[in-house]
């Protein structure tokens, strides 16, 4: 007999944007990163997910109230991957209801927010069943999230998440992410306007992109560079050096895309609008001496980052200059967030 309260949970989890990028796994088929990464946890781009484990078998996923068959294979694969973690994983039918606070095809990675929300739900059920204790809940949720989507491991924590073993980040691990909160006041409430250049499916999935790094001629140098950039980023976040932050964040974003451009087969995820926005931000920064910068995910959209104190000026710039390069003039205002919330 199913004890109802033990088989239901609901969480709201945010997306995140990597400052030092994760691109490449230790070996094919593992969800372990080839280098450490660090990300801003966002606050407005959220996925709200609830799960009920009912009698029966299989999975049923409802997106915005509609049955979404296309999500099933990913969840079935995830369930298989995490089987050994709790006794109830293979039991019953998973009924999942999920919705995003951002448009589904907006090119914002919903896998990070979605898989972290689902992992947190499963950990709540494990808590209720006595298979997990509160002290290891966050770590376990991050580990499960990682097995669904690598970057999802970082969405479980805030205001920043560090994933991947690194000598300068105490307790860091390839298995799960840890929170990084030793940040200078300059970075508190940091803003991120997500400029939606392309709202639709990416031409190349992240999974395929990651696999192409395996035989990449620059892979080894990239992994070393990322580890050393992690050390630099830790210093910058702690001492509040905005100028160095701008340089490092943009270098990382362009390196990510350079790896895609130079892989075999190569692929271009930037669009003309992406380049126009980059040019505009750089020109404005140079002209007015501002600490504004951009970063990019594995896609065409641009994350425009700036300190909270510049908000009025920056939003005026978005409206007057940047939004013309966005699809249908669409953008989302976000900022550094504290992490997921139990519903």
């Amino acid at each position: 007999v199913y004890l109802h309260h033990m088989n239901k949970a609901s969480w709201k989890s945010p997306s995140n944007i990597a400052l030092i990028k994760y691109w490449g796994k230790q070996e094919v088929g593992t969800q372990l990163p080839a280098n450490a990464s660090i990300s801003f946890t966002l606050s407005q781009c959220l996925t709200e997910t609830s799960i009920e484990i009912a009698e029966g078998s299989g999975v049923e996923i409802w997106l915005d109230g509609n049955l979404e068959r296309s999500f099933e294979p990913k969840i079935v694969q995830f369930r298989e991957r995490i089987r050994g973690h709790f006794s109830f994983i293979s039991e019953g039918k998973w009924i999942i209801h999920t919705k995003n606070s951002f448009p589904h095809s907006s090119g914002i990675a919903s896998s990070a927010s979605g898989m972290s929300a689902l992992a947190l739900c499963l950990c709540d059920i494990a808590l209720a069943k006595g298979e997990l204790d509160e002290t290891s809940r966050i770590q376990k949720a991050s580990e499960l999230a990682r097995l669904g989507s690598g970057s999802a491991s970082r969405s479980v924590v805030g205001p920043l998440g560090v994933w991947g073993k690194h000598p300068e980040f105490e307790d860091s691990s390839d298995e799960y992410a840890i929170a990084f909160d030793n940040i200078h006041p300059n970075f508190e409430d940091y803003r991120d306007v997500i400029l939606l250049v392309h709202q639709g499916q990416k031409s190349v999935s992240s999974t395929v992109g990651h696999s192409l790094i395996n035989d990449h001629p620059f892979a080894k140098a990239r992994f070393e560079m990322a580890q050393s950039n992690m050390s630099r980023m830790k210093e910058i976040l702690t001492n509040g050096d905005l100028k160095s932050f701008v340089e490092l964040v943009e270098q990382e974003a362009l390196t990510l895309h350079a790896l895609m451009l130079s892989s075999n087969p190569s692929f271009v995820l930037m669009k003309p609008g992406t380049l126009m926005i980059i040019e505009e931000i750089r020109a404005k920064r140079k002209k007015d001496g501002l600490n504004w910068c951009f970063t990019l995910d594995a896609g065409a959209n641009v994350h425009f980052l700036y300190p909270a104190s510049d908000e009025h000026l920056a939003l005026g710039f978005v409206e007057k200059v940047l939004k013309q390069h966005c699809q249908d003039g669409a953008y989302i205002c976000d900022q550094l967030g504290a992490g997921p919330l139990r519903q």
Side-chain angles (χ1 to χ4, degrees), residues 74-254:
K74 189 175 169 75
I75 300 300
V76 167
Q77 181 194 37
F78 171 64
R79 192 173 178 177
E80 195 52 42
R81 266 187 191 158
I82 65 166
R83 235 172 127 158
H85 289 265
F86 302 124
S87 69
F88 62 87
I89 295 294
S90 309
E91 295 168 7
K93 178 183 187 176
W94 284 13
I95 302 170
I96 297 168
H97 286 264
T98 189
K99 59 181 182 195
N100 299 323
S101 67
F102 47 90
H104 176 60
S105 62
S106 63
I108 296 172
S110 57
S111 59
S113 49
M115 295 313 278
S116 58
L118 181 56
L120 285 156
C121 287
L122 292 170
C123 285
D124 268 9
I125 292 171
L127 272 175
K129 290 178 183 290
E131 292 191 30
L132 183 66
D133 58 64
E134 184 56 47
T135 52
S136 51
R137 183 177 62 83
I138 294 293
Q139 185 176 308
K140 177 56 86 175
S142 180
E143 186 184 349
L144 295 184
R146 183 198 99 232
L147 292 166
S149 159
S151 57
S153 66
R154 298 186 308 247
S155 276
V156 173
V157 293
L160 286 101
V162 171
W163 173 42
K165 189 82 188 123
H166 193 284
E168 286 177 46
F169 290 85
E170 205 183 331
D171 300 326
S172 59
S173 169
D174 291 340
E175 302 279 336
Y176 51 84
I178 57 167
F180 183 75
D181 51 16
N182 182 23
I183 57 169
H184 190 277
N186 282 354
F187 295 106
E188 283 171 10
D189 283 343
Y190 220 75
R191 300 299 199 246
D192 176 8
V193 174
I194 305 153
L195 301 153
L196 303 176
V197 174
H198 178 66
Q199 302 184 55
Q201 279 302 106
K202 290 188 299 195
S203 55
V204 175
S205 77
S206 291
T207 306
V208 172
H210 279 286
S211 67
L212 291 173
I213 198 89
N214 298 324
D215 306 315
H216 201 295
F218 306 147
K220 188 173 181 290
R222 162 59 196 161
F223 301 144
E224 287 167 5
M225 171 195 186
Q227 290 298 84
S228 103
N229 282 352
M230 283 291 287
S231 303
R232 282 184 62 204
M233 184 55 81
K234 183 182 182 185
E235 205 175 297
I236 289 165
L237 291 168
T238 309
N239 68 21
D241 182 348
L242 290 171
K243 196 173 180 330
S244 299
F245 178 79
V246 164
E247 281 170 20
L248 187 53
V249 165
E250 291 193 354
Q251 181 201 33
E252 275 286 313
L254 295 174

